[in-house]
Amino acid sequence: MKLFDPASALSARTSAIEEAAIIAMAQKARELKADGVDVVSLTIGEPDFDTPAAIRRAATNAMNSGFTHYAPIPGYPELRAAIAKRLNDDNAIPVGPTGVVLSNGAKQSLTNACFATLDGGDEVIMMAPFWAAYEGIVKMAGGVPVIVSAGADTAFKPTIAQVAAAINDRTKLILLNSPSNPSGAVWTEAELRALADLVHSHPRCLVLADEIYEDIWFDVRPTSIASLPGMFERTITVNGFSKAYAMTGWRVGYSAACEPLAKAMSKVQGTFTAGGNAFAQQGALAAITGPRDDVEAMRKTYHHRRDLIVSLLKAIPGIRTVSPPATFYVFPDISGLLGKSAGNTRIENDVEFCNWLLENHHLATVPGSAFAAPGCIRLSFAAGDDDIRKGIARLAEAAQALV
Ligand SMILES: Cc1ncc(COP(=O)(O)O)c(C=O)c1O
């Protein structure tokens, strides 16, 4: 009998997806730690806080009072209504409760949106640097990524002229992540208006706006593109509870869109999974209707850490840092250190740099290549002050060792 190779059974769709470099770096850091090495990890993409107690209590009570059955596919009506109210009041997005579809995390909402709108070969404009998962989701849904890149010179936002050059009759979605993972970039209202004008001149094109970091801002509260004139019908807004409320493990996200799009996303979700977790949604209801003191306190802490990490990074020669106006990420450009050597080791690119930094200076970071932006690295400041100070001291030491 011929030996069967199970790998040959994989679909082309699955084989095309690469393992996320973020996961690989975090794993490598864990392995070194397990060997007793004192590793500082600034890789993590989630709050280092626990979910606020009132939210945990609400979910526990819900579980004890019978919320253990299937939830409605698009989510509980009270939660859909509360989210719609918040989006109307705070974001000026004119969505009704039935335009809101709860999911198992913003990631699933992004997937629902792509499967609901893309046909094979439809193009999706993605603005690099972008969150690593986007490419896999778009490709699995049959879309073709069209990458528009921006660097530190434009604070990691492409110009409208660049987007205009990429858009055509095959463009179905523009994936907009403001505030952005990994750069923390935020599109100003004027920039969003220019993007909206471009969308209006392309009748097939929609915006998929991932606003998961909207509550973690430091300078100006971000604007939602769906609030601009004529844009609600052209936008699917995605958000969730993971980041602002420190609820990553709960898996509660949502999309907000006009009825036909919302119905289609609910249909996709009903096909692949079902309604989101019943008692987690009750916790989410407490989160969105309750006092916002905890969210505000976390935001203030991130703000303090942003100022700390940026001031430390700016003092390192060879590294160029744009201060992120939002999120808990900073995305320094380390290209000034590439092509240099430490002893016999020559560092040619960001991936080699991150591996060398972890192995030799015990600081775990994520290479910019994971976000389609080689030459940069991502540092997360969802970490305490001590780790930030210790981690950046190691980076400074590493930079100095390269000649
Ligand atoms: C830009 C972006 N969108 C979406 C998500 C996923 O959010 P959720 O945990 O709600 O699936 C993340 C998580 O890292 C993210 O960085």
Side-chain angles (χ1 to χ4, degrees):
M1 197 172 36
K2 226 175 137 195
L3 260 187
F4 175 64
D5 173 14
S8 69
L10 299 180
S11 66
R13 193 189 293 119
T14 314
S15 306
I17 311 299
E18 287 166 23
E19 188 198 359
I22 307 175
I23 297 170
M25 283 306 282
Q27 177 60 24
K28 209 164 167 180
R30 269 196 297 272
E31 282 167 14
L32 280 174
K33 269 187 190 166
D35 287 346
V37 179
D38 167 33
V39 173
V40 175
S41 182
L42 299 181
T43 57
I44 197 93
E46 63 174 329
D48 55 323
F49 302 104
D50 285 334
T51 305
I55 304 174
R56 284 185 271 137
R57 261 196 312 275
T60 311
N61 292 342
M63 189 191 250
N64 289 333
S65 57
F67 282 93
T68 53
H69 298 271
Y70 285 127
I73 289 170
Y76 286 107
E78 305 84 335
L79 181 53
R80 298 173 83 190
I83 291 170
K85 181 170 170 14
R86 166 130 206 256
L87 290 175
N88 276 270
D89 294 352
D90 294 357
N91 298 54
I93 299 179
V95 67
T98 51
V100 174
V101 176
L102 271 300
S103 67
N104 299 283
K107 203 170 187 179
Q108 186 180 23
S109 295
L110 293 164
T111 307
N112 289 344
C114 288
F115 274 85
T117 57
L118 295 177
D119 283 311
D122 281 345
E123 293 185 2
V124 180
I125 295 180
M126 319 213 316
M127 312 200 214
F130 54 76
W131 183 40
Y134 289 159
E135 198 163 357
I137 296 173
V138 166
K139 282 185 181 165
M140 277 206 160
V144 178
V146 174
I147 298 175
V148 177
S149 296
D153 285 346
T154 55
F156 298 105
K157 289 179 281 186
T159 62
I160 289 300
Q162 279 179 283
V163 184
I167 199 167
N168 61 49
D169 293 345
R170 293 180 303 277
T171 310
K172 194 64 183 289
L173 292 176
I174 297 178
L175 227 168
L176 176 70
N177 179 211
S178 172
S180 151
N181 173 8
S183 69
V186 175
W187 286 57
T188 64
E189 187 169 331
E191 288 163 345
L192 292 176
R193 282 186 190 276
L195 187 64
D197 285 346
L198 194 60
V199 171
H200 286 309
S201 58
H202 288 81
R204 265 188 103 231
C205 183
L206 300 171
V207 175
L208 177 51
D210 178 352
E211 300 184 352
I212 189 87
Y213 293 99
E214 71 156 350
D215 284 317
I216 305 173
W217 56 272
F218 313 124
D219 304 329
V220 180
R221 188 169 191 273
T223 301
S224 292
I225 192 165
S227 69
L228 301 182
M231 283 308 288
F232 174 60
E233 292 71 19
R234 306 290 296 268
T235 305
I236 298 170
T237 303
V238 168
N239 209 324
F241 291 81
S242 289
K243 313 288 175 174
Y245 301 92
M247 290 171 65
T248 45
W250 293 59
R251 312 310 303 133
V252 191
Y254 56 87
S255 54
C258 58
E259 277 313 285
L261 293 173
K263 278 206 171 110
M265 282 186 282
S266 183
K267 197 159 126 186
V268 172
Q269 184 166 299
T271 304
F272 279 131
T273 56
N277 177 301
F279 49 85
Q281 284 190 51
Q282 297 305 311
L285 182 60
I288 202 153
T289 54
R292 297 185 60 77
D293 310 2
D294 289 313
V295 173
E296 199 45 28
M298 288 189 266
R299 190 172 76 80
K300 286 204 172 110
T301 306
Y302 293 130
H303 193 163
H304 155 80
R305 292 171 178 175
R306 190 276 308 255
D307 292 347
L308 172 66
I309 199 164
V310 168
S311 69
L312 295 170
L313 283 167
K314 286 206 166 175
I316 306 177
I319 294 185
R320 185 171 168 207
T321 303
V322 177
S323 180
T327 75
F328 40 67
Y329 307 111
V330 57
F331 201 57
D333 182 332
I334 51 111
S335 51
L337 300 175
L338 302 179
K340 296 187 171 183
S341 304
N344 291 332
T345 312
R346 193 177 147 89
I347 309 290
E348 298 290 359
N349 57 46
D350 56 305
V351 176
E352 287 179 12
F353 180 80
C354 288
N355 281 318
W356 169 79
L357 186 63
L358 177 55
E359 280 156 20
N360 293 274
H361 295 271
H362 305 148
L363 172 63
T365 57
V366 185
S369 299
F371 310 95
C376 294
I377 61 172
R378 190 191 76 175
L379 305 168
S380 160
F381 47 94
D385 286 12
D386 288 351
D387 271 0
I388 291 174
R389 286 183 197 283
K390 203 159 134 186
I392 306 306
R394 290 179 184 189
L395 181 61
E397 209 178 82
Q400 208 174 21
L402 288 170
V403 284

PDB file of all heavy atoms in Angstrom, residues 59 108 121 167 170 196 308 326 335:
ATOM      1  N   ALA A  59     -22.171  38.160  33.726  1.00  0.00           N
ATOM      2  CA  ALA A  59     -22.137  36.912  32.948  1.00  0.00           C
ATOM      3  C   ALA A  59     -22.365  35.710  33.860  1.00  0.00           C
ATOM      4  O   ALA A  59     -23.058  34.752  33.486  1.00  0.00           O
ATOM      5  CB  ALA A  59     -20.803  36.782  32.228  1.00  0.00           C
ATOM      6  N   GLN A 108     -14.657  37.316  13.687  1.00  0.00           N
ATOM      7  CA  GLN A 108     -15.729  36.625  12.968  1.00  0.00           C
ATOM      8  C   GLN A 108     -16.587  37.629  12.192  1.00  0.00           C
ATOM      9  O   GLN A 108     -17.044  37.323  11.092  1.00  0.00           O
ATOM     10  CB  GLN A 108     -16.622  35.813  13.918  1.00  0.00           C
ATOM     11  CG  GLN A 108     -17.632  34.997  13.112  1.00  0.00           C
ATOM     12  CD  GLN A 108     -18.565  34.144  13.930  1.00  0.00           C
ATOM     13  OE1 GLN A 108     -18.792  34.418  15.110  1.00  0.00           O
ATOM     14  NE2 GLN A 108     -19.111  33.115  13.319  1.00  0.00           N
ATOM     15  N   GLY A 121     -12.372  36.649  -7.012  1.00  0.00           N
ATOM     16  CA  GLY A 121     -11.692  37.616  -7.875  1.00  0.00           C
ATOM     17  C   GLY A 121     -11.968  39.075  -7.527  1.00  0.00           C
ATOM     18  O   GLY A 121     -11.309  39.969  -8.051  1.00  0.00           O
ATOM     19  N   ILE A 167      -7.765  51.769  -6.824  1.00  0.00           N
ATOM     20  CA  ILE A 167      -9.197  51.449  -6.914  1.00  0.00           C
ATOM     21  C   ILE A 167      -9.597  51.309  -8.396  1.00  0.00           C
ATOM     22  O   ILE A 167      -9.076  52.020  -9.253  1.00  0.00           O
ATOM     23  CB  ILE A 167     -10.020  52.542  -6.171  1.00  0.00           C
ATOM     24  CG1 ILE A 167     -11.414  52.056  -5.822  1.00  0.00           C
ATOM     25  CG2 ILE A 167     -10.076  53.835  -6.927  1.00  0.00           C
ATOM     26  CD1 ILE A 167     -12.122  52.987  -4.814  1.00  0.00           C
ATOM     27  N   ARG A 170     -13.108  46.516 -10.271  1.00  0.00           N
ATOM     28  CA  ARG A 170     -13.124  45.213  -9.574  1.00  0.00           C
ATOM     29  C   ARG A 170     -13.047  45.379  -8.053  1.00  0.00           C
ATOM     30  O   ARG A 170     -13.182  44.423  -7.310  1.00  0.00           O
ATOM     31  CB  ARG A 170     -11.939  44.339 -10.034  1.00  0.00           C
ATOM     32  CG  ARG A 170     -12.024  43.899 -11.487  1.00  0.00           C
ATOM     33  CD  ARG A 170     -10.826  43.029 -11.873  1.00  0.00           C
ATOM     34  NE  ARG A 170      -9.552  43.709 -11.650  1.00  0.00           N
ATOM     35  CZ  ARG A 170      -8.996  44.569 -12.507  1.00  0.00           C
ATOM     36  NH1 ARG A 170      -9.605  44.861 -13.641  1.00  0.00           N
ATOM     37  NH2 ARG A 170      -7.836  45.154 -12.233  1.00  0.00           N
ATOM     38  N   ALA A 196     -14.097  58.948   1.508  1.00  0.00           N
ATOM     39  CA  ALA A 196     -15.529  58.782   1.203  1.00  0.00           C
ATOM     40  C   ALA A 196     -15.828  59.313  -0.205  1.00  0.00           C
ATOM     41  O   ALA A 196     -16.578  58.680  -0.958  1.00  0.00           O
ATOM     42  CB  ALA A 196     -16.367  59.509   2.249  1.00  0.00           C
ATOM     43  N   LEU A 308       5.482  57.070  27.878  1.00  0.00           N
ATOM     44  CA  LEU A 308       6.719  56.486  28.406  1.00  0.00           C
ATOM     45  C   LEU A 308       7.492  55.766  27.297  1.00  0.00           C
ATOM     46  O   LEU A 308       8.685  56.038  27.065  1.00  0.00           O
ATOM     47  CB  LEU A 308       6.366  55.501  29.537  1.00  0.00           C
ATOM     48  CG  LEU A 308       7.515  54.660  30.080  1.00  0.00           C
ATOM     49  CD1 LEU A 308       8.540  55.556  30.793  1.00  0.00           C
ATOM     50  CD2 LEU A 308       7.005  53.580  31.061  1.00  0.00           C
ATOM     51  N   ALA A 326      -3.267  56.327  19.108  1.00  0.00           N
ATOM     52  CA  ALA A 326      -4.281  55.420  19.676  1.00  0.00           C
ATOM     53  C   ALA A 326      -3.700  54.010  19.743  1.00  0.00           C
ATOM     54  O   ALA A 326      -2.578  53.778  19.293  1.00  0.00           O
ATOM     55  CB  ALA A 326      -5.529  55.435  18.803  1.00  0.00           C
ATOM     56  N   SER A 335      14.820  50.403  10.128  1.00  0.00           N
ATOM     57  CA  SER A 335      15.618  50.146   8.915  1.00  0.00           C
ATOM     58  C   SER A 335      17.022  50.735   9.032  1.00  0.00           C
ATOM     59  O   SER A 335      17.953  50.241   8.386  1.00  0.00           O
ATOM     60  CB  SER A 335      14.888  50.627   7.667  1.00  0.00           C
ATOM     61  OG  SER A 335      14.476  51.946   7.830  1.00  0.00           O
TER      62      SER A 335
END
